[in-house]
Structure formats: C-alpha cells, structure tokens
C-alpha cells in the first residue's frame, strides 16, 4: 500500500496549479479587497471542464473521480480560498442533488449547463432558525395543484446571487419535523424570487454569499426533486459529499500558507542565519508538514470511498473536521513565522488567515462533525438511559421570533388610508405624538426611531423618512446596507447586531426586510412597527403592528396622520412595558410518571417515539413507555 495518487491525478494537479498561479493569484488581493466575484475565472474554469469533474460525461461532465475534484478545490484554494469554495459549492451542493436524485428529465434539462460551466449552481438550506438544526426549516412550499407556492427565505447562501440554479429546501407537510421537508430546483429570474445583499465577510471575500427571498414563487410540479418528504435525506446526503469539498478547501488554504512560510523561513535572516534553522521555527515547519499529510490522507480517503460508492459519511466528517481545525493551526503558525510582516494587508498569509476560519463553520460546524462521528460509533442512546434534569422537548417546535413574542397585528386588507388609520389608532393609545426628539439623537438614546431599509428605493425617497420622523417626533435610523452600501445616512445611524442598539419605545421600520442581524438590534424595543410590500418579510414575524404596502404610498399617509405641527421637547423617556402575550391554551391534561417524575405534555408529544405534538395521553400507543425511565403508561397519573 503506497498511499499514492495516480499520475493522472498529479497531471491534473499541475494543470490546475498552473492556472491558479497564472490567472487567480495575481488578482486574489484585489478580489479580497473589493469583495468581488471572479466571473471571468469561473467562465474559464467551465471552459477547462472543471465545473463537472466527477460527473458522467454523457451529461457534459469530465467523468473523473472524486479525488480529482478534491485536488481541483485544493489547488484553487491554495491561492484563494474564495475561488476554491465557488467550485466546491457548485459541484457538491448545487449539482450533486440533481445528479443523484433528479429525474431523467431534470438531469437532461439542468446538468449539461451546470457541468460545462455555462450556469452556476447553489444550495439553499440554511435559515435564521435552521442552521446546524435543519429541522427548524420555516420556508414553505404549498401544493397548488399544478405548482407549489414557495414562501420564505434562506441566508448565507454561497454563490448567490451569481448562481442560476438553486436546490431549495422547504416544508411541504407541517408539524412532522424533518419528514415534512422537500427539495426543489428553483431558477433565478422566476417571479417573486429575489436576493438580499451580498454579505461583507471576514474572509473568502471573492466568494459571493447572499440571502434568497421567496415571495409567492411558483415552482412547477416537475421541479420537485425526488418525492415529497425526501428533502432532509437529500440535504444530509448532499452535505456528506460537500464536506469533502470543504476539507479540500481547508487543505488548500493550509498548503498555501505552509509553502509561503517555508519560503520565508529560508530567506529571512535573524541572529546570523535563516530563521528556518532556528529550532523554534523548524519545529513549527515540521509539525505543519505532518498535519498537512494527515489531512490529505483523510480527504483523499473519503473521496476514494465516495468514488467507489462505499459508505463515507463518517470519513467525510472526520476529513472536514480535522482538515479545518488543522488549517487554523497551520495558518496561525505560518503567520507567526512571518511576524509583523504577515499581519499587513496585501500579504497572502493575512488573507489566508482570514479565509481559513469559515471552514470550521459551514457545511456542518466542527461540533456537528463530532456529533456525526460519535453517533455512528456509539449508536442510539438506550431509551431508559437519557440524561436527566430538564423537560423533554419532543416534537418540532417553532422558534420564537428574534425580537421575542409580539402582537403581530398586521394590516393587509382594505385601502391604504384605512390601514394607516387603524395603525395610528393603536399607536396613539401608547405614544404621545405632540412631543418629539431631534432627528439626529443618538440611536441608543432615542425614545423613538424611524428607520429606512433598502425597500425605500432611491436616495430621494429619504425625504419620506425625514418627513415621517418629523411627524412622529423621532430620530432617523437605518438598516446596515442603507448606511454602509447606499450611504444614505452616516454609519452611526444603522441599527443592528453590529451597529447601534435601539432600546426605546417606538421603532418604525420602513422597507426593512428584517434580517437576523438587524432584528437583534431592536429586540428590546417596546413597540415595533413594520411597513413592507413583501408580506413574507421576516420583519412581520417580529413586529407588533405592520402594514403590507408600498412605502411610497403608506409613508405620506402615515406622516399626515401623525403630524401634530410643532413638537414640544419630549420629557425623559419612561419605558413602555410590553404586555405579555397570552400563551396558547393546553390541548389536553398532562400526565406524570410515577417512576421518575417525567411530565407528558400533549402540546409537545414525544418526537423520538414518533408521537406528534397534539397527541392526547389516552391516544398514545399501547406499547409507549416513559422516555426517561421506561415506565409503562399505567404508571402515569393525571396532573
């Protein structure tokens, strides 16, 4: 057993390395600096046949093995981690589900353009409440006969909005957890399918990453991937292969960092000799080379198993977990070898240091990798041996809104004037609009804020925000893109997790969709008002009052309704307490186990025993036992 790859593999490596050195490396710094997508590079990769390396030649693929694909990602990542992940996400995530689970018609329609690089693929699974736990998916696809109606959104989607074809996961059957998730092929350009901003990331900045927004998108029935309910299985099997790609990316980043540090250690002289001959540095280099060799064996082994259709889930998790942890260690040691020079912008090692971190997070965090590995080794926990201390939470539970429980009184019917009057009637019972604060009051000190989102449109529409702020006696705020990208307001006016926190009484969000980062900046607001034309915008799940409508129509009406003329200076703020939202009524009596005190709650059910939420105790199967101590039903008493 020589543990060597073939001459063909090495020839491919040399071909891609030459391309990467000639085409990618010279522009890697500018791509990173400008947060720019390498469109021309991707086009050339397609022309070279690298966008479909491990796929069947009859659909336009290269017909090579998975090791060849891993080498391609590794070599591109060696000079730019962002370019490497473009190929990885396209091949492993955007293309694999169609190749593995698509019908013959779907393969013939989508694969040729994906495999020859004419179109780019992406994968839409992650949501604000469905990251590591994909069972928290909230995007829905409702069967309408000849099509599905897709609503919701996805976040952190690699290759969006540049990709043309998206594999999207949505709930088709509610309240049965992961068994109710299905997969769909969705095309860019369909009505109602829009994108959020390109994220401004720490690293892999040449890779485009954005939100997907679905507002009543009609998905043809023939674009269902597999069968209804197959979505979770498709997602998990896809991610298994994707982890080989991310492991390859981490390996490539680390290889590039190691080579740069090795060269620098040979040329940098201190104390009369090259620093590489100082033991403290030579030992680092030895350890880096050893870690790279171990990671490479893990990556290629997993790739080989996948090529030969052997089980590879655990091996892929091992490769991804180890290679990404290793990459952090190697780039850290490499930067240490460069010293202060390596800390400067424009140095490859500085960029590699930032690029490496994401490999421990996406396509399954390294914590999840350890769950995958250990669960395979240990098997399922015995029913009577579960951890004590805490109520069992069986059944898929809907995540609470980011801003906490809210009234969610949305005015979407009737004429705009009627909607505005209904809203103002609610607000005037709680807010005195005869007083106000200056528009430039610091956000953190403001009692009320009118905030602009990208939905307000061109800059001249900021006058609508200014007029409303005057009428409401409020300060002016914004979402991050309005301040940072559009530059409509100063940077210190944007509200969000990374911006200013609003802790006052009234927050009016105008044209703000409600990204997670923004919502975390307003979660302590007493009253949140949302105005947005998209009825499925997340802001409506996180507000007290909302109007579904065009800001160009609604804001002038709201300004007129709130205008009391000259405002008197507002007194010191008295925080309005949010009323408690009544909890839903219990659906039936609760029962307690005599043996251990476990409480059976009908609203929750018992997920691990496939007992759905809402199941009454009397309707439990006859062989059902206590999840904690295995006591039989007869050993329970009604509370």
């Amino acid at each position: 057993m020589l543990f060597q790859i073939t001459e063909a593999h090495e020839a491919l490596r040399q071909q891609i390395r030459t391309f990467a050195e000639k085409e990618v490396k010279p522009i890697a710094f500018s791509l990173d600096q400008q947060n720019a997508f390498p469109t021309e590079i991707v086009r050339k990769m397609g022309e070279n046949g690298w966008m479909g390396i491990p796929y069947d030649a009859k659909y336009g693929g290269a017909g090579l093995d998975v090791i060849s694909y891993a080498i391609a990602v590794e070599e591109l990542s060696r000079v730019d981690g962002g370019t490497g992940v473009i190929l990885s996400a396209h091949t492993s995530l955007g293309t694999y589900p169609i190749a593995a689970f698509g019908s013959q018609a779907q393969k013939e329609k989508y694969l040729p353009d994906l495999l020859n690089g004419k179109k780019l693929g992406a994968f839409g699974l992650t949501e604000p409440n469905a990251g590591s736990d994909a069972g928290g998916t909230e995007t829905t696809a409702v069967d309408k006969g000849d099509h599905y109606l897709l609503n919701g959104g996805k976040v952190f989607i690699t290759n969006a909005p540049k990709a043309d074809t998206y594999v999207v996961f949505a709930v088709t059957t509610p309240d049965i957890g992961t068994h109710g998730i299905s997969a769909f092929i969705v095309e860019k350009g369909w009505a109602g399918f829009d994108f959020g901003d390109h994220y401004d990331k720490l690293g892999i900045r040449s890779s485009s990453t954005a939100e997907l927004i679905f507002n009543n998108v009609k998905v043809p029935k023939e674009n269902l991937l597999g069968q209804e309910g197959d979505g979770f299985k498709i997602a998990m099997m896809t991610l298994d292969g994707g982890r080989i790609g991310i492991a390859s990316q981490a390996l490539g980043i680390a290889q590039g960092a190691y080579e740069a540090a090795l060269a620098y250690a040979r040329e940098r002289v201190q104390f009369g000799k090259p620093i590489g001959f100082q033991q403290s540095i030579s030992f680092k280099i030895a350890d880096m080379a050893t870690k790279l060799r171990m990671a490479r064996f893990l990556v290629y082994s997993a790739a080989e198993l996948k090529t030969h259709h052997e089980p590879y889930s655990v091996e892929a998790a091992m490769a991804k977990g180890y290679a990404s942890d290793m990459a952090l260690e190697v780039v850290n040691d490499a930067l240490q070898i460069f010293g202060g020079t390596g800390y400067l912008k424009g140095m490859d090692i500085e960029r590699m240091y930032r690029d490496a971190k994401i490999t421990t997070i996406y396509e399954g965090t390294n914590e999840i990798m350890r769950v995958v590995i250990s669960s395979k080794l240990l098997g399922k926990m015995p029913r009577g041996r579960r951890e004590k201390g805490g109520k069992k939470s069986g059944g898929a539970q809907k995540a609470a809104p980011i801003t906490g429980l809210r009234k969610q009184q949305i005015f979407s019917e009737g004429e705009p004037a009627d909607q505005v009057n209904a809203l103002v009637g609610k607000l005037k019972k709680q807010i005195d609009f005869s007083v106000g604060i200056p528009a430039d009051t610091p956000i953190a000190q403001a009692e009320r804020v009118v905030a602009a989102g990208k939905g307000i449109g061109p800059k001249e529409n900021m006058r609508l925000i200014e007029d409303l702020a005057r009428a409401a006696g409020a300060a002016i705020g914004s979402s991050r893109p309005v301040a940072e990208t559009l530059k409509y307001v100063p940077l210190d006016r944007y509200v969000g997790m990374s911006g200013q926190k609003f802790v006052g009484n009234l927050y009016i969000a105008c044209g703000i969709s409600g990204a997670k980062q923004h919502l975390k900046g307003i979660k302590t607001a007493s009253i949140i008002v949302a105005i947005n034309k998209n009825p499925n915008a997340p802001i409506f799940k996180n507000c007290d009052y909302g109007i579904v409508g065009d800001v160009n129509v609604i804001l002038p009406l709201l300004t007129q309704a709130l205008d009391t003329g000259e405002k008197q200076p507002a007194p010191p703020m008295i925080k309005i307490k949010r009323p408690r939202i009544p909890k839903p009524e219990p659906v039936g009596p609760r029962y307690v186990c005599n043996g251990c005190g476990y409480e059976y709650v009908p609203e929750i059910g018992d997920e691990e025993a496939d007992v759905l939420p809402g199941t009454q105790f009397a309707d439990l199967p006859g062989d059902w036992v206590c999840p904690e101590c295995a006591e039989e039903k007869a050993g329970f008493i009604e509370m």
Side-chain angles (χ1 to χ4, degrees), residues 72-330:
V73 175
E74 177 188 346
E75 288 301 319
L76 292 168
S77 301
R78 175 178 162 273
V79 299
D80 180 46
T83 303
V85 82
I86 292 169
L87 178 62
S88 176
H90 167 83
T91 305
S92 293
L93 303 183
T95 303
Y96 173 80
I98 300 174
F101 301 98
S103 65
Q104 188 61 36
Q106 288 171 340
K107 291 178 183 178
E108 290 174 356
K109 180 178 180 180
Y110 291 106
L111 286 183
D113 282 348
L114 288 169
L115 300 184
N116 64 28
K118 289 183 179 177
K119 291 188 176 179
L120 192 63
F123 179 84
L125 177 64
T126 303
E127 298 182 10
N129 293 315
S132 295
D133 178 11
T137 297
E138 295 175 336
T139 296
T140 60
V142 178
D143 191 337
K144 293 293 184 179
D146 64 341
H147 68 275
Y148 291 91
L149 204 59
L150 185 66
N151 282 289
K154 303 292 179 177
V155 296
F156 305 137
I157 305 305
T158 303
N159 288 347
K162 304 295 183 178
D164 306 280
T165 305
Y166 296 79
V167 176
V168 175
F169 298 84
V171 175
T172 47
T173 305
D175 301 324
I176 61 171
T178 57
H179 300 292
I181 297 174
S182 301
F184 300 88
I185 305 170
V186 181
E187 297 179 25
K188 183 165 71 173
W190 285 357
F193 179 16
D194 295 309
F195 301 94
D197 292 311
H198 176 195
Y199 294 111
D200 191 9
K201 307 184 296 291
L202 171 72
I204 60 165
R205 290 167 59 79
S206 58
S207 163
S208 183
T209 314
E211 284 183 73
L212 311 183
I213 301 169
F214 307 110
N215 183 17
N216 291 329
V217 179
K218 290 184 178 180
V219 181
K221 274 292 180 70
E222 58 266 27
N223 278 49
L224 173 69
L225 195 56
Q227 303 296 317
E228 276 199 13
D230 285 351
F232 186 75
K233 174 187 73 175
I234 291 172
M236 294 303 103
M237 291 182 67
T238 300
L239 288 172
D240 281 343
R243 286 161 188 159
I244 295 175
I246 300 307
S248 304
Q249 181 197 16
L251 176 60
I253 294 169
Q255 182 70 37
Y258 162 75
E259 291 176 10
L262 181 62
Y264 188 75
R266 286 171 171 153
E267 69 181 41
R268 169 69 167 164
V269 175
Q270 289 285 277
F271 304 105
K273 59 184 176 181
I275 61 172
F277 294 91
Q278 305 284 355
Q279 190 179 75
S280 59
I281 302 299
S282 65
F283 280 15
K284 284 185 189 297
I285 290 170
D287 288 343
M288 292 159 75
T290 303
K291 291 172 183 177
L292 281 162
R293 187 168 175 81
M294 289 191 291
R296 188 166 281 108
F297 283 158
L298 280 171
V299 174
Y300 292 0
S301 169
E304 188 174 40
L305 289 170
K306 187 175 190 297
T307 295
H308 292 288
H309 307 290
E310 298 287 343
Y312 69 94
S313 176
V314 170
E315 288 77 8
M318 288 176 173
K320 193 270 186 186
Y322 179 77
S324 56
D325 282 341
M326 175 277 303
L328 289 187
E329 295 168 4
V330 167

Side-chain angles (χ1 to χ4, degrees), residues 437-440 449-453 456 458-478 482 487-490 493 508 510 551 555-556 558-560 562-563 565 567:
I437 60 175
D440 60 353
V449 163
V450 172
I456 67 165
K459 189 171 184 177
E460 52 263 31
N461 283 355
M462 278 300 295
R463 62 178 176 77
L464 299 176
I465 300 296
E466 293 163 2
D467 291 345
L468 179 56
R470 253 191 315 270
I476 293 176
S478 79
V482 168
K487 304 186 188 307
Y488 290 176
V489 298
R493 305 309 299 178
I508 304 178
C510 308
V551 292
L555 296 194
L558 185 56
T559 297
Q560 185 178 8
L562 293 179
D563 194 358
K567 303 291 182 185

Side-chain angles (χ1 to χ4, degrees), residues 519-552:
L519 294 173
K520 288 200 170 185
I522 61 173
K523 62 183 182 180
T524 57
S526 298
I527 302 168
I528 299 173
V529 175
I531 301 165
N532 199 295
K533 67 180 180 181
N534 178 6
N536 299 304
I539 190 74
F540 287 123
K541 295 179 181 179
N542 289 272
C543 70
D544 295 284
Y545 307 109
I547 294 179
V548 178
D550 188 338
V551 292
N552 292 282

Side-chain angles (χ1 to χ4, degrees), residues 175 390-398 585-590 598-617 620 624 627:
D175 301 324
K391 297 271 197 307
K392 179 175 170 54
S393 59
Q397 301 295 304
K398 290 185 177 180
E585 291 295 320
V587 298
R590 300 183 178 192
Y598 165 81
E599 181 181 337
Y600 177 75
V601 181
E603 301 95 276
I604 294 177
D606 181 4
E607 182 181 26
E608 291 192 18
D610 293 325
V611 175
L612 296 177
T615 303
Q616 301 291 341
F617 184 82
L620 290 171
W624 182 85

